[in-house]
């Protein structure tokens, strides 16, 4: 089990000695209070483990909630083929096919509820999306931020639009900053990496850190055995840098891994980074301190191309060039 000292050391490294001590005082009680799980099987992915990725409403039947329909379908047709069901965000959302989350703790009521998820978890392992980089501009958290409510004043990243942001890596061709008017009448320009409806979390705020640790532990409590860290590469921002793959971002992945290793060592972290291979596999860390698996978008189109062309040379060439950072 990961020692409390290693978690404290990570917090001090991310936030500095003084703020790190405060972070420890806020985070460690959450970890110690969480229900502990023990590892009962092998750690990480094994050959033969198959994951189905799906939205909550992929399969529908009139008069039945989609999660219940999906469960019946999967239990009838997929039980011998699929080990894990990975739900793309099934929370209340305002845009981006679920990736602009309005409430991280609820299931979208048009799909079902947590009881439906628990029933699916009785037949399949569960994988959830942990939308970790941003939150909805139409949710309660953002309303609290605009109102200046305690615990939410630093939730977003306020940035001077005159600042030189030319080095920032952009995954989408949309404005990096979006203006909003706060309840007190002030106009602020907020960091919005993916869209004006997706407000980037300010992880320099301990309020954000505490809330997202709470979400992480909540998903574990709800039966998640695999968590996909969505858009993790952009988590930490420093003006004057590319704001992608920063050392603080890797340390945050180490922190989430350390928390899980202490609370639920059977839970697997997957990082999602739509970047070249060498950058993608950097999220393995040393092989034991960051993600157990990394996620990228190269393989599906290569498989599709291989089937359509009935020619595996492109796929084989890609696979032959893969290298891993360590034996783990």
């Amino acid at each position: 089990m990961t020692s409390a000292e290693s978690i404290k050391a990570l917090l001090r490294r991310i936030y500095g000695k003084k703020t790190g001590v405060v972070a420890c005082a806020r985070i460690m009680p959450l970890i110690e209070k969480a229900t502990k799980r023990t590892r009962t099987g092998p750690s990480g992915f094994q050959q033969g483990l198959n994951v189905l990725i799906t939205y909550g409403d992929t399969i529908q039947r009139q008069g039945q909630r989609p999660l219940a329909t999906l469960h019946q379908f999967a239990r009838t047709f997929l039980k011998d083929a699929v080990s894990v069901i990975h739900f793309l965000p099934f929370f209340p959302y305002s845009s981006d096919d679920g990736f602009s989350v309005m409430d991280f703790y609820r299931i979208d009521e048009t799909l079902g509820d947590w009881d439906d998820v628990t029933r699916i978890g009785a037949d399949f392992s569960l994988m959830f999306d942990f939308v970790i980089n941003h939150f909805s501009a139409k949710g309660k958290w953002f309303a609290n931020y605009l109102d200046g409510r305690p615990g939410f004043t630093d939730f977003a990243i306020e940035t001077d639009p005159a600042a030189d942001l030319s080095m920032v890596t952009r995954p989408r061709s949309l404005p990096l900053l979006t203006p909003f008017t706060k309840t007190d009448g002030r106009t602020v320009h907020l960091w919005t990496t993916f869209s004006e409806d997706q407000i980037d979390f300010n992880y320099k705020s301990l309020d954000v850190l505490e809330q997202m640790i709470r979400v992480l532990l909540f998903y574990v409590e709800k039966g998640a055995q695999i968590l996909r860290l969505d858009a993790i590469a952009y988590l930490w921002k420093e003006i004057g840098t590319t704001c992608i793959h920063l050392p603080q971002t890797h340390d945050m992945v180490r922190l989430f891994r350390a928390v899980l290793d202490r609370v639920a060592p059977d839970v697997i972290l997957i990082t999602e980074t739509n970047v070249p291979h060498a950058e993608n596999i950097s999220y393995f860390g040393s092989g034991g301190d960051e993600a157990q698996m990394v996620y990228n978008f190269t393989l599906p189109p290569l498989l599709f191309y291989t089937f359509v062309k009935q020619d595996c040379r492109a796929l084989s060439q890609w696979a032959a060039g893969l290298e891993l950072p360590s034996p783990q």
Side-chain angles (χ1 to χ4, degrees):
M1 180 177 287
T2 300
S3 72
E5 286 305 314
S6 64
I7 295 174
K8 292 176 182 178
L10 279 167
L11 289 169
R12 288 193 295 267
R13 190 162 74 194
I14 296 167
Y15 292 99
K17 186 175 181 180
K18 184 177 179 180
T19 305
V21 170
V22 178
C24 290
R26 295 180 62 169
I27 300 307
M28 291 309 299
L30 302 178
I31 298 170
E32 298 310 320
K33 187 173 67 173
T35 302
K36 305 299 188 295
R37 286 173 19 184
T38 56
R39 181 181 289 132
T40 56
S43 174
F45 278 80
Q46 305 296 316
Q47 185 168 328
L49 186 150
N50 299 308
V51 181
L52 170 71
I53 182 170
T54 179
Y55 282 100
D57 60 356
T58 299
I59 299 176
Q60 302 182 35
R61 173 181 289 153
Q62 189 171 1
Q64 187 176 44
R65 296 193 297 190
L67 288 179
T69 305
L70 178 65
H71 185 202
Q72 288 184 359
F73 178 89
R75 189 169 53 189
T76 302
F77 298 107
L78 305 179
K79 198 72 170 68
D80 295 330
V82 169
S83 315
V84 182
I85 294 182
H86 169 198
F87 286 105
L88 291 159
F90 48 14
F91 315 106
Y93 71 98
S94 53
S95 65
D96 200 20
D97 294 323
F99 286 91
S100 184
V101 179
M102 297 173 65
D103 188 334
F104 287 76
Y105 292 97
R106 287 197 302 117
I107 300 292
D108 184 341
E109 62 184 14
T110 64
L111 301 177
D113 56 28
W114 282 114
D115 288 339
D116 292 308
V117 176
T118 299
R119 283 188 282 271
I120 295 171
D123 292 313
F124 300 90
S125 295
L126 298 172
M127 178 172 170
F128 301 162
D129 258 275
F130 189 10
V131 184
I132 198 168
N133 181 73
H134 45 262
F135 60 114
S136 171
K138 297 179 178 63
K140 184 65 174 176
W141 284 358
F142 191 60
N144 289 342
Y145 160 77
L146 293 176
D147 289 343
R149 294 184 180 275
F152 293 91
T153 55
D154 299 321
F155 245 56
I157 304 170
E158 299 180 9
T159 305
D160 183 349
D164 182 3
L165 303 173
S166 59
M167 290 184 64
V168 177
T169 299
R170 301 294 295 118
R172 295 185 181 177
S173 57
L174 296 169
L176 177 61
L177 303 181
T178 303
F180 290 91
T181 302
K182 302 188 79 171
T183 305
D184 62 10
R186 290 190 302 120
T187 296
V188 292
H189 290 78
L190 303 182
W191 208 289
T192 51
T193 296
F194 290 92
S195 79
E196 63 182 9
D197 187 45
Q198 292 164 291
I199 312 299
D200 284 46
F201 283 114
N202 175 21
Y203 276 92
K204 294 179 182 178
S205 165
L206 296 187
D207 291 325
V208 169
L209 175 68
E210 179 180 340
Q211 189 64 257
M212 298 314 283
I213 293 290
R214 288 183 183 274
V215 173
L216 177 77
L217 295 174
F218 176 76
Y219 291 165
V220 171
E221 179 187 323
K222 290 299 183 181
Q225 289 162 300
I226 307 174
L227 289 168
R228 173 181 177 264
L229 303 182
D230 175 66
I232 185 65
Y234 305 95
L235 180 136
W236 196 276
K237 283 81 174 179
E238 292 287 348
I239 294 175
T241 74
T242 61
C243 297
I244 185 172
H245 312 313
L246 294 188
Q248 296 92 331
T249 295
H250 281 280
D251 276 342
M252 289 296 294
V253 177
R254 292 185 183 98
L255 176 63
F256 292 129
R257 172 72 181 271
V259 170
L260 288 174
D261 281 349
R262 187 162 181 82
V263 173
D266 59 319
V267 174
I268 295 170
L269 280 183
I270 294 181
T271 49
E272 181 266 320
T273 56
N274 190 12
V275 295
H277 176 70
E279 298 170 37
N280 187 39
I281 64 171
S282 70
Y283 288 88
F284 281 128
S286 68
D289 62 342
E290 291 192 47
Q292 288 98 326
M293 183 61 72
V294 297
Y295 184 102
N296 207 338
F297 300 90
T298 308
L299 182 58
L302 275 175
L303 280 173
F304 181 71
Y305 176 90
T306 299
F307 287 134
V308 170
K309 294 293 186 178
Q310 300 183 45
D311 183 345
C312 67
R313 284 176 293 181
L315 177 63
S316 297
Q317 183 180 5
W318 171 75
L322 297 180
E323 295 181 359
L324 296 173
S326 80
Q328 290 74 44

